Amino acid sequence: MLECGPAPAPQDLCSHQESLSMVAAPSDGFHGSQWRSTCLLPTEEQKRDVGHPGRATLDESLGDRSPWEEELLGQIRAMSDSQRSRVLEAIQHRIEEHTQVITIPGGSSGLGLQLPRAGHWGPSTVFCLQLLWKEVADPGIRELLAPLNLEPQQPVEKAFLFLVYGLILRECASSDLVRRHLMRLLELSHQTAGQREGMAVASGIASSSHLQEVWATLEHLGRTRVLRTACTSPDYQEPYADVHWRWVSSTSLLCYGHMALHAGEHILPWVDNVISRMVYYFSCSCYDNILETSFLSAAVMLVKALKQEHSTRRYRFTQIPELIQCLLAILQKEPNFLATLFRQKIILVIMELSKLRPSLKPVVKSRILQTCLQSLYMLPPMEMLKSCLPPLDLAPDVMVLYQKSMQALDLLLQTFISENKSMDEMCFLLQHTEPWLKSDKSHECKRVVQTIFLLLKYVVDYVKLTDEATPSMLGHQIGLLMLLWRDRDPVTQSHSRQCIYLLLQLLIQQKGSMGQFMHLNKMKNFEAKALRRSEMKFYNLVKALDRSLTPAQHTQLILTLLGGLCSHDHLQCDLASQLVLMIFQNQSIKVEQVAEILQGLFQELPSIVFKNILQTMMKAVTMLGTQHTQETVEVMLSLCHPSERQVLPLWKALASNNQLARKVLMLLYMKLKLRPPKELVRLSQQAELISLLALGTIYELLYTREYKATVRWAFAGILVGLLTQLHYLFELDVVEGISDYQEDSLEVKPLSPCRTCLEALKGLFWTTNYWEVFAYLQLLRGWELFEHLETYTEGVTLLARAMAHYDCEVKAVLGQAVISLKSSEERDNIVAILVITEFLNSQELTQYMSRRAMDNFLSLGLSSPNQLVRAMSLKGLTSILMDPKKVVLLRNQLAGLLDSFMGPEPQDLMGLMEILGDILHSLGTQGIGATSIRMAQHLLSLFEDEQAPVRGGAISLFGDVVHSGGKKYRPALKRQAFQALVPLLFHLVDSCPAVVMKTKLTFLRCAILLKWEFRKELFGKLAWGHGLGAENDIFIYMALIYLGSPHKNLKRMAMKFIGLLYRPLLFPEEGRPENLQEILGGPEEGLRLREPQILPELSGRHH
C-alpha cells in the first residue's frame, strides 16, 4: 500500500486552497513547557476539510454580503460620529465586562476565531445584542439596531460585537476617532484566544478604509506594549497586569494578517512592511504554541490576500525569505507525531510564497527542502503513527493527516520544478533527497523514493523542460536509486526502478531521439512482464544509461556505485559491484573518465568489508586496465607514493592477465625514462617526478608474486633502466640516504630515491632467482660501489662480470645495451659500453652476436663525446673476442709468470697474483687448461700464509682458477675445490675481516662448482649470519649432502655431525664444542672422523 496518493494534475496546484483554511486558536493559558490535549483535536472545519478536499475557503469573496449586513451597514452610515462613538464605547464596556464570562464556541482549539461566514446571518447563527440594547439609551442607536429584530431573551455573542466594532470604525470619517477607539480596544485584555481574534478582526475591517490609521495604532502598540513583554518566560508567575499583555504580540500578528486580508488592491505597497513586522514580532517574542498559531494564521491570511491580487506576479517582494525562515522554525519545533494539519498548512504557505518574485535563492530553497523533508520523513512508520500519539479525548485520523501532509510536500516540489523548468532544478531537488536515500531505516527510504517517483511522473506527464542542461550530479542521483534495486521492501524496489526509467525518459526527451524512446518503452514492458529476478534487466538498463548519460554524468554514476561497495549490507554491496562490473564489461568508459573512477575506487578500497566484493572489483580493474592501459597506469602512479602500498592491490589486478602485465611493465619502463634535465627540475618537484614514481612502483612489483614471471620477461629492460636511473639520480644530486641504509634494521621508513633504485637493482636479481650474481656482488661488497658516483662505473663493471660469468640474461641485456649505446643520452652510453665490454668475456656471447656486428657497435662508441665511452670502446676492440691472436700471447706470458709465482722465493707475491687474475679474466672463455690445476694446488698452500693480504689474495684467486680450466679439466678442479673446503671453513673465522669476506665468496663458488644443494641458503648464512650459530648452519648444509650417501659410515657420521651441532640448542647446560676439531674428533662410539680419511671419499662421490 502506498503511503501517498497519485501525482496531482497541473490544475491541482490551484485547487489546494482548502488546506489553507484556518482552524481555531489554542486553548487559553497554555504554557510552552506543557503539551496541550484539547488543541490536538480537529475542529469541525478541519473535519470538513478532510471530508471535502475540494472546498476552497480562500477563494470566498469578501465583498459578498447578506441583506442583514447591508441593512446594518446602512444604519451605521446614517449615524453621526458622536453616535458611533457612544456605540463603540458601549461595545468596549460589554466586551470588557464579559471577557471572563462569555467565550467563543470552538475557540479553544485551532488557529483562529470561528466567525459566521458571509451569507449566513439569521436564525442559524445567534447575534442578539440585548445587553447592548439595554445600555444604549439614545433613540437613534436603538433605531439603528431595531431592523435586526433582536429579542430580549437571546444571548449575546462577543464575536458579533467585534464585527460591529470594526464595521463602525471602517465607516467613520474621523481619523482621530478611529485611532482613539481602536487603541482603546487594543488595550483590553489579550489573555483569551477569542479576545485576540476579535481585536484582529475589528482592526482588519477598520483597515479597509483607514489603513494608515490602523498601521499607526499597531506601531504604537508595538513600541509601548509588544517590545516590553517580549521574551518573558512563560513559566514565570507574573502579576495580573502582565498576564493582561502577555500575548499582545500574538494579537499584533493576527492584526497584521487581517490587515493584509482586507487591504485589497492596497496590499502590495504595504506588504513588505507587514511581513517585516510579523517577522520581527515573531522573532523577539517568547515562543509558545499561541505565538506559532497566531503567526501561521497571519501567514495564511497574507497568502490568501496575495492570491486575490492579480498584480502580485509583477511585484518584487523583499521580505519573503525572512517570512519563510519563521515558518520553517515553527515546522522544526513540531513534535514527531501527527495530530494536526500544521505541517501541511506550513508547507502550502511556503509553496505559495515561493511563487512570488523574485525567485527564491538556492540557499533558501535548500533550507526549505531540508526542513520539510526532515519533518515528514522522520515521522514514525505508518503502523506506529497512531500509537505514537499522546492521550487524546478524540484521536485524529493519522492516515488522512499523513496523506494530506505528504501531498503538500509533493505540491511544493512540483511548484519548484514548475517555476524553473530545467534539468538543473530537477537535480537540485533530487540532491536534497540523498540523505534519505542512504537511510538505514526502511520507512524513510520508502517515503523518499515514493516522493521522487511522484515528482518524476509529474514532470514527465505535465512539464516540458526548457533547456538541454546536462548536470553531472544527475548521474550521482541515478546511482543512489540504482543501489535500491535489491531493497528488501518491494515497493521501494519497484519505485526505484521506475524512477530510473522516468529519468531516462526525460533524458531521451531532451535529446529528441525517437528510436531510443521506443527502445525504452520496450524495456519497460519487459520489466513489467518479468516474473523472476534477472540480471538481464539490469544489463539492459546499464546499456541504456551508457548511451544516454554524458561522460561527466556517467562518471558520477560509477563513483556513486563505488560508494555503495562500503555498505555493511551485503545485498547492496553485491549489487553495486555487479553493476560496476557490467558497466566496465560494456566498454563504455571513456579516456577522460579513467582518472576520476580509479581515484574513487582507491578511496573506497580500505572500507570494503566483504572479500568477494573486493575480488569482483579487482576483475573490474583488470577490464579497465585492458581497455585503457596507459591511462590506468598513469593514474595509479599518481594515487599515492608507491612505498605506502595501498595501491598494490590495483597493480596486482593488472597482473591477472599476462599480456596486460607485460604492457604495464613496458609503460613503467617508459615512465622511468622520462628524465628532465637537472636545470629544469626544481628541488620541490623532485619527489613528484614521474620517473621516481615509476621507480618506486617497479621496486614494489619486484616483490609481488603476481608479477614474478613478467619481471623475468622484462629483466633486461628493467636492469638497464635501473642502472641509468641511478646515474640520473646522481646527476640530480639526490644521494641522501643511500649509504646509511641498514639491512637488519626493524625500523620501517621510506627509502630515499637513490636507495630505492639500488634496492630495486639488488631485488631484480634476487627475485628472479639469479641469486649467484647477487651473492657475487654481496660477498665482494660490490653493491657498495653503487653508492657513490666515483665508484659507480666499477659497480656496473663488476655486476656485468658476474652476469657474464653466470650467464645471466646475457642475450637480452646485450640487446638492450646495444640500443642504449645508440641513445643520445650520455648516461645510457656509459652503462651500455660498460656492460658490453664485460660481456665480451662471456662464454655464450658469440651465439648471440657476430664478431662483425660487435665491431660495428664498439666502433660507434669511439665517436662518443664522453671520454669513458671512447676508452671502454677501445678496450673492447682490443679484447680476446675481437682479436683471437692475443690468446697465444697471453698464455705465453702466463707461463713465464707462473714460473716466478711458484718459485721458492717469489718477488712481489701480491703483484703477481693480481696480474695472474687479470690474465685469467682477459682469457675469459679460452681458459688456461692444465695450468689451472697447478695454480690451484699452489694457491691452496698459500691459504696458511702469515700475511693476511697474501692469504686473502690466494683464496680469492683460487676461486677464479677453479672456474678457468674449461670442461676438460673440471673434474680435476672439483677435487681441488674439495680439498680446499676444510681450510676455507677455518678461514671463515680468520682474524682479518678482509680474508673472511674473500673466503666466503670462494667457499660459495666452490659450492656452486660442486653443485651442492641448499646453495642459496648457504649464501644467506655466509652473507648475513653472525657468530657460532651461523658457522654451525654452514656445517649443517655440508653434512646434509651425505645423508643420502650409500656408504653407511659417511651417512652415520653426517647424522652424528648434525646432532652434535644441534645438541647445545636442546641441552644448553652442557655447553657447546669449542672448535671444529672437537666436533670431528669426538670420543663417542670409538669412531673418529679425520680430514685425511674423509676427503678422498668425498671427492670420489663428485667425480
Side-chain angles (χ1 to χ4, degrees), residues 21-26 109-113 197 254 293 296-297 342 345:
S21 59
M22 294 182 299
V23 294
S109 62
L111 286 175
L113 179 66
E197 182 66 26
L254 292 172
T293 302
L296 181 54
S297 179
F342 263 45
K345 295 179 184 301

Side-chain angles (χ1 to χ4, degrees), residues 48 90 161 176 267 325 357 378 534 549 551 668 681 751 770 828 856 924-925 941 948 976-977 995 1001:
R48 290 195 299 271
L161 298 180
D176 293 338
I267 179 62
Q325 181 59 36
R357 292 185 62 198
M378 290 187 68
S534 170
L549 298 178
L668 289 174
V681 180
L751 300 177
Y770 291 120
D828 294 347
N856 292 334
T925 58
S941 65
Q976 296 297 321
V995 174
L1001 177 60

Side-chain angles (χ1 to χ4, degrees), residues 2 449 452-454 456-457 460 481 485 490-505 520 524 527-528 541:
L2 298 183
V449 175
I452 295 173
F453 168 69
L454 292 175
L456 292 173
K457 188 74 170 63
V460 168
L481 291 167
W485 281 358
V491 175
T492 304
Q493 264 192 39
S494 175
H495 276 153
S496 64
R497 293 185 190 136
Q498 292 180 63
C499 287
I500 300 297
Y501 282 120
L502 291 169
L503 283 168
L504 273 172
Q505 192 168 339
L520 181 63
K524 291 173 68 175
E527 167 81 10
L541 264 179

Side-chain angles (χ1 to χ4, degrees), residues 28 99-100 158 189-197 247:
D28 301 332
T99 293
Q100 303 301 328
K158 192 193 296 185
S189 174
H190 297 261
Q191 187 175 2
T192 66
Q195 195 95 335
R196 294 190 295 272
E197 182 66 26
W247 287 285

Side-chain angles (χ1 to χ4, degrees), residues 199-486:
M199 294 177 184
V201 168
S203 300
I205 295 173
S207 68
S208 59
S209 296
H210 303 283
L211 186 55
Q212 293 186 355
E213 288 77 9
V214 174
W215 176 266
T217 304
L218 291 177
E219 286 287 278
H220 177 73
L221 179 69
R223 290 192 301 270
T224 58
R225 296 298 180 182
V226 175
L227 297 182
R228 289 185 182 182
T229 59
C231 296
T232 302
S233 171
D235 296 325
Y236 179 67
Q237 299 299 322
E238 298 157 331
Y240 179 78
D242 290 335
V243 174
H244 178 92
W245 294 103
R246 180 171 175 175
W247 287 285
V248 64
S249 56
S250 297
T251 304
S252 298
L253 291 173
L254 292 172
C255 288
Y256 288 121
H258 280 280
M259 278 182 62
L261 199 59
H262 288 83
E265 62 184 11
H266 303 295
I267 179 62
L268 293 181
W270 289 86
V271 64
D272 289 321
N273 288 333
V274 169
I275 295 175
S276 66
R277 291 299 182 269
M278 289 172 57
V279 169
Y280 181 68
Y281 289 164
F282 176 81
S283 302
C284 70
S285 300
C286 185
Y287 187 89
D288 58 16
N289 279 282
I290 294 177
L291 182 72
E292 75 171 27
T293 302
S294 302
F295 185 83
L296 181 54
S297 179
V300 168
M301 288 184 280
L302 176 68
V303 168
K304 180 177 178 181
L306 293 175
K307 283 176 62 67
Q308 294 173 345
E309 179 54 44
H310 300 294
S311 58
T312 300
R313 299 290 293 180
R314 298 192 300 270
Y315 185 79
R316 295 186 65 85
F317 296 83
T318 62
Q319 300 292 317
I320 298 301
E322 289 76 11
L323 179 59
I324 290 176
Q325 181 59 36
C326 295
L327 291 167
L328 294 177
I330 297 175
L331 189 59
Q332 287 176 322
K333 294 180 182 295
E334 279 295 284
N336 198 34
F337 54 81
L338 277 176
T340 68
L341 287 173
F342 263 45
R343 284 181 170 86
Q344 180 211 24
K345 295 179 184 301
I346 291 173
I347 293 174
L348 290 177
V349 169
I350 292 174
M351 180 201 73
E352 292 295 340
L353 293 174
S354 67
K355 298 177 183 179
L356 304 176
R357 292 185 62 198
S359 299
L360 297 178
K361 293 181 179 180
V363 65
V364 178
K365 292 168 73 172
S366 181
R367 198 179 304 125
I368 292 171
L369 291 168
Q370 290 173 6
T371 306
C372 293
L373 295 180
Q374 181 176 354
S375 179
L376 290 176
Y377 291 160
M378 290 187 68
L379 288 171
M382 286 296 298
E383 59 273 13
M384 296 176 58
L385 270 178
K386 190 169 184 178
S387 61
C388 291
L389 288 175
L392 302 173
D393 296 336
L394 180 62
D397 188 337
V398 291
M399 178 63 73
V400 172
L401 294 178
Y402 175 80
Q403 289 180 346
K404 292 176 76 69
S405 299
M406 292 303 295
Q407 287 170 1
L409 177 63
D410 294 334
L411 288 170
L412 175 67
L413 297 176
Q414 292 169 15
T415 299
F416 281 163
I417 194 65
S418 298
E419 292 294 316
N420 184 8
K421 301 175 182 179
S422 67
M423 188 61 78
D424 284 329
E425 182 71 10
M426 174 62 70
C427 286
F428 177 79
L429 299 180
L430 294 179
Q431 178 183 347
H432 290 82
T433 64
E434 180 175 342
W436 312 103
L437 287 172
K438 294 179 177 179
S439 174
D440 295 330
K441 298 179 180 178
S442 178
H443 67 281
E444 293 180 354
C445 197
K446 181 178 180 179
R447 286 168 180 167
V448 68
V449 175
Q450 288 174 342
T451 300
I452 295 173
F453 168 69
L454 292 175
L455 174 62
L456 292 173
K457 188 74 170 63
Y458 170 80
V459 174
V460 168
D461 291 343
Y462 302 113
V463 179
K464 180 174 177 57
L465 301 182
T466 56
D467 60 7
E468 295 185 5
T470 55
S472 61
M473 287 308 295
L474 182 62
H476 172 65
Q477 289 140 8
I478 290 176
L480 293 175
L481 291 167
M482 291 174 73
L483 291 174
L484 298 174
W485 281 358
R486 286 183 184 170

